[in-house]
Amino acid sequence: MGVPLCNANLQQIAEAGLAQIPQYDRSQLKSGVVHLGPSHFGRGHVLRYLDDIAKTDPKWGVTMVGLISSGVRDALADQDYLYTLKEQDGKTNPTRVIGCIKDMIVAREEPQKVLDVLSSHETKLVTMTVTEKGYGHDPKTGTLDFDRDDIKKCLNSLDEPNTAIGYLVAALERRMNSGAPPLTIISCDNIEANGIVLRNVVLAYAAEKSAHLRKYIENNVAFPSTMVDRIVPTTTDQQKDFSMAAGHISDKWPVQTEEFMQWVIEDNFAGEMPDLDAVGATITPDVNPFKAMKMRMLNGGHMAVGTLGKLAGYDRVHEAMGNETIRQFVSAFMSEVSDTLTPISNVDFTFYKELLIRRLENPALNDENSRVVRNATLSKIKPRALDAAESAIAKETSYNHVAFVTAAWIHYLKGTDDNKAEFDINDVHAVESGLQQVARNSNGNPNPVIAMSGAFSSGLQSHKGFMDTVTMHLHNIQQHGVVGAIERVNQQTRAPQVQMAASMTYTR
Ligand code: CS2
């Protein structure tokens, strides 16, 4: 057993050189921020920024709210809500104790307490990492999905919410009635136009309560859009056990991440805000170009390496990147999709690509291919690949690599790799809807999967060039295996000049 993580042991932890401890007096923390969703990403990214904020201003301490599961709360409650964050660049791997969580509540157990903190006048900022599903929206329209069971249930008992959106609206009503200060609610989930989606669903939900509440929200609450970036793999049980061993800090739920982090936030706030700019966030009038860049190059790159890697028999992202054929393809894929992007001043997409390749190669992250392609049918193939194909068609640039990833995804759905080993495709929708079976039966014809998946626009489905290219690649993958098929693509593409950027920035 190592040194148990708790307030009383912080000094000992620092003196033994085990981790950097909070450089502020935790007893002075107030709860200016409520964070919804104790996900790995939330704890590895948003809370890391807020921990820096707490150093200079203790009023921005955090109350963490989990909706259903009590797992993280149970783990952290025994350790005064402290946890360790390992920021692994592959060489030094510094560990930092994050101290900014003041309290943690599980909504299913203490719903009133959640409403109390969300409507407290001390709360000025809400941040959210509740995953795409947590918004209750229809991804096709970006508006509240009144047909969803959880939303229906919530709307049937407006004062006893059971969804993130229901809690927000119930709390905003209380804030309206008690004359609370304005509130900023920041979505930190990786969905397109996240601020707009959040505003849409909150306003639609509020309108079911009263037009007056809707108006109040329009006038007093801001929903900035954001681009968030940091690779935060899921902590494995092995890592948890390892952290409990002698010579370490005993932390029941540590988080491991990389050195790089980025948070671009739309300059759209209501009332008082922590100085996020001072701790490295970028505040900008328009986040959309940053979001598109990250979604298509990084998340699209993840989609590529995860799909191709798994088919080639690799479980880990860095292992797949260690295969030169796959690495060259991923690099060329990123270059191809960068041609579809709107230029951003001071940003060099080639430097950005080089940095991304280095991040994906980081062995210390040990990230899983199955994580980066998880639920691809519903939430990944469209924003990470097909949107780039549509832009490429419109701009008359190349879509060859995107078509290859599309074909590889169709093949991946079958759940058998090039060595004939079966694997779990980690895509609930594809399994439950029968799409996986359709892929297995379709014998080299991509059309049945494309038609059934719901991810392709009619324009893309009727684009002969794109569809023929997908069909050709699918044929090659089946015929030569994924690596053999990639070799054919790489031969047609000039060898990418990947010269690694030395620093963690990619600006000019
Ligand atoms: C990954 C992301 O699962 C995925 O879709 O691509 O979680 C990725 O690690 C983050 O967006 C990085 O910021």
Side-chain angles (χ1 to χ4, degrees):
M1 174 91 176
V3 186
L5 184 56
C6 61
N7 276 334
N9 290 342
L10 282 177
Q11 214 47 47
Q12 186 191 344
I13 286 170
E15 279 160 18
L18 293 174
Q20 192 195 102
I21 60 168
Q23 303 296 305
Y24 51 88
D25 178 358
R26 294 191 77 220
S27 69
Q28 297 305 306
L29 286 178
K30 302 266 181 295
S31 172
V33 186
V34 176
H35 181 81
L36 298 182
S39 63
H40 284 87
F41 184 80
R43 294 203 286 140
H45 179 277
V46 183
L47 274 271
R48 165 66 163 78
Y49 281 91
L50 295 173
D51 197 54
D52 273 346
I53 292 280
K55 276 189 207 165
T56 51
D57 194 345
K59 78 167 168 283
W60 299 109
V62 181
T63 297
M64 177 79 97
V65 173
L67 275 187
I68 297 166
S69 159
S70 61
V72 179
R73 193 275 321 271
D74 293 345
L76 269 48
D78 284 350
Q79 42 195 62
D80 299 322
Y81 303 118
L82 294 163
Y83 65 94
T84 51
L85 182 65
K86 207 176 247 188
E87 304 185 307
Q88 322 187 84
D89 63 6
K91 286 178 227 105
T92 52
N93 305 332
T95 302
R96 165 174 175 148
V97 175
I98 300 293
C100 61
I101 303 181
K102 187 175 163 57
D103 194 9
M104 229 177 136
I105 316 171
V106 177
R108 190 155 64 170
E109 293 172 10
E110 298 181 286
Q112 287 310 316
K113 207 171 158 195
V114 173
L115 291 175
D116 288 348
V117 67
L118 280 171
S119 55
S120 155
H121 290 205
E122 204 171 81
T123 300
K124 313 263 174 47
L125 171 65
V126 175
T127 51
M128 301 173 64
T129 51
V130 293
T131 78
E132 180 164 6
K133 270 173 88 181
Y135 290 79
H137 71 298
D138 174 351
K140 290 208 185 83
T141 60
T143 54
L144 190 65
D145 185 349
F146 286 94
D147 291 333
R148 250 174 64 163
D149 286 346
D150 57 343
I151 298 295
K152 271 201 241 166
K153 190 168 162 220
C154 223
L155 286 170
N156 278 337
S157 52
L158 284 170
D159 294 316
E160 285 174 26
N162 63 294
T163 62
I165 305 308
Y167 274 103
L168 284 175
V169 175
L172 288 170
E173 186 175 39
R174 288 188 179 198
R175 292 183 77 92
M176 174 178 80
N177 295 336
S178 66
L183 185 70
T184 298
I185 310 181
I186 307 187
S187 161
C188 305
D189 282 292
N190 212 10
I191 51 178
E192 218 180 319
N194 49 11
I196 294 173
V197 167
L198 179 57
R199 184 172 187 274
N200 282 346
V201 294
V202 166
L203 289 179
Y205 193 110
E208 297 291 308
K209 285 199 146 199
S210 72
H212 182 51
L213 177 59
R214 183 189 162 110
K215 193 94 219 132
Y216 165 82
I217 297 173
E218 281 173 348
N219 294 334
N220 292 278
V221 186
F223 301 90
S225 282
T226 58
M227 179 270 244
V228 286
D229 189 10
R230 191 168 221 197
I231 299 175
V232 189
T234 312
T235 307
T236 60
D237 288 342
Q238 223 177 0
Q239 283 163 334
K240 287 184 192 168
D241 291 347
F242 181 75
S243 110
M244 298 304 287
H248 297 268
I249 303 168
S250 292
D251 177 355
K252 292 193 180 137
W253 203 321
V255 179
Q256 343 262 329
T257 184
E258 58 181 338
E259 184 187 7
F260 181 87
M261 59 176 185
Q262 188 175 26
W263 196 2
V264 185
I265 311 174
E266 183 191 2
D267 189 359
N268 167 23
F269 305 109
E272 202 186 347
M273 279 288 294
D275 190 355
L276 291 168
D277 184 41
V279 294
T282 306
I283 314 295
T284 171
D286 185 9
V287 298
N288 291 332
F290 288 93
K291 269 189 98 80
M293 170 183 83
K294 189 243 166 180
M295 184 67 92
R296 291 188 185 174
M297 293 183 71
L298 186 156
N299 299 112
H302 258 163
M303 181 75 203
V305 69
T307 311
L308 307 183
K310 196 79 192 162
L311 285 173
Y314 300 105
D315 283 336
R316 307 280 164 181
V317 172
H318 70 277
E319 291 167 356
M321 290 298 284
N323 178 315
E324 185 54 26
T325 305
I326 296 180
R327 194 185 76 105
Q328 263 195 38
F329 177 92
V330 172
S331 171
F333 170 92
M334 288 177 182
S335 298
E336 181 175 292
V337 297
S338 75
D339 288 341
T340 69
L341 298 170
T342 308
I344 306 174
S345 73
N346 291 328
V347 170
D348 184 318
F349 292 142
T350 306
F351 287 174
Y352 183 63
K353 178 189 78 172
E354 291 169 5
L355 173 62
L356 294 182
I357 301 269
R358 197 146 57 103
R359 290 172 61 197
L360 300 190
E361 284 176 337
N362 181 354
L365 270 180
N366 213 22
D367 201 4
E368 288 175 303
N369 287 325
S370 69
R371 180 190 80 85
V372 300
V373 296
R374 181 162 161 259
N375 293 337
T377 304
L378 270 191
S379 31
K380 295 194 174 157
I381 187 70
K382 182 180 180 307
R384 286 154 173 73
L386 304 178
D387 286 351
E390 302 226 23
S391 303
I393 290 166
K395 285 190 154 183
E396 299 187 357
T397 58
S398 166
Y399 49 69
N400 192 28
H401 291 75
V402 179
F404 189 94
V405 171
T406 308
W409 162 70
I410 293 170
H411 190 64
Y412 176 98
L413 284 173
K414 296 181 184 174
T416 307
D417 73 14
D418 281 358
N419 309 314
K420 306 267 176 289
E422 292 192 1
F423 61 85
D424 174 0
I425 61 173
N426 207 7
D427 187 335
V428 184
H429 174 77
V431 174
E432 288 179 356
S433 67
L435 187 68
Q436 177 170 52
Q437 204 46 52
V438 170
R440 284 176 175 159
N441 296 341
S442 60
N443 196 24
N445 176 4
N447 296 331
V449 169
I450 288 178
M452 184 177 169
S453 70
F456 294 68
S457 69
S458 51
L460 200 54
Q461 286 186 54
S462 57
H463 190 276
K464 188 168 179 327
F466 181 75
M467 295 295 280
D468 285 351
T469 315
V470 172
T471 309
M472 171 195 75
H473 289 314
L474 185 58
H475 174 81
N476 282 343
I477 293 170
Q478 291 186 339
Q479 185 91 1
H480 308 288
V482 76
V483 174
I486 302 171
E487 272 161 5
R488 282 167 170 74
V489 178
N490 287 355
Q491 275 158 18
Q492 300 153 4
T493 321
R494 80 194 131 80
Q497 302 290 311
V498 181
Q499 292 196 351
M500 289 310 161
S503 76
M504 276 290 159
T505 65
Y506 53 85
T507 44
R508 287 194 189 101

